[in-house]
Amino acid sequence: MTSEAILTVEAYFDALGTREMERILSHFAPDATWTIPGDPALTPWAGRRTGPEEIRQSLTAFFADGLITDYRVFEDSLGITRTCLGEPLSTTPA
């Protein structure tokens, strides 16, 4: 990973930690896809969102009640590998 990529990832996580929505969303492309597995009827931040405004809806729901005090990212290694290889991502298990 290049030092520029590392700085970008660090800046995103710094922004996420502040919960400042404009700082967070500045790291997303207009056609970015944000997917959190789960039923949006049960957890309003779950589901697939496209673009910064839909991602804002998910994050707003995620931060809404102030009960989430710790958040950990678990890497999708297969998804990262497929993206680097230019292969399509599957949102459903094989």
Side-chain angles (χ1 to χ4, degrees):
M1 191 179 285
T2 67
S3 59
E4 182 179 349
I6 291 169
L7 291 174
T8 299
V9 171
E10 289 174 344
Y12 166 73
F13 281 113
D14 286 345
L16 193 62
T18 67
R19 298 183 181 198
E20 293 177 23
M21 200 61 69
E22 297 311 316
R23 277 185 62 198
I24 296 168
L25 295 174
S26 72
H27 296 282
F28 289 92
D31 61 348
T33 300
W34 175 270
T35 304
I36 297 178
D39 182 349
L42 299 175
T43 36
W45 57 82
R48 180 183 169 127
R49 308 290 201 289
T50 302
E53 287 310 309
E54 288 185 15
I55 294 168
R56 176 192 304 272
Q57 294 169 2
S58 179
L59 289 171
T60 298
F62 186 77
F63 294 140
D65 59 19
L67 296 177
I68 296 173
T69 59
D70 185 41
Y71 179 73
R72 297 171 194 214
V73 175
F74 294 95
E75 175 183 307
D76 176 0
S77 297
L78 179 58
I80 292 170
T81 301
R82 286 183 173 160
T83 299
C84 288
L85 294 174
E87 297 176 3
L89 295 175
S90 172
T91 57
T92 56

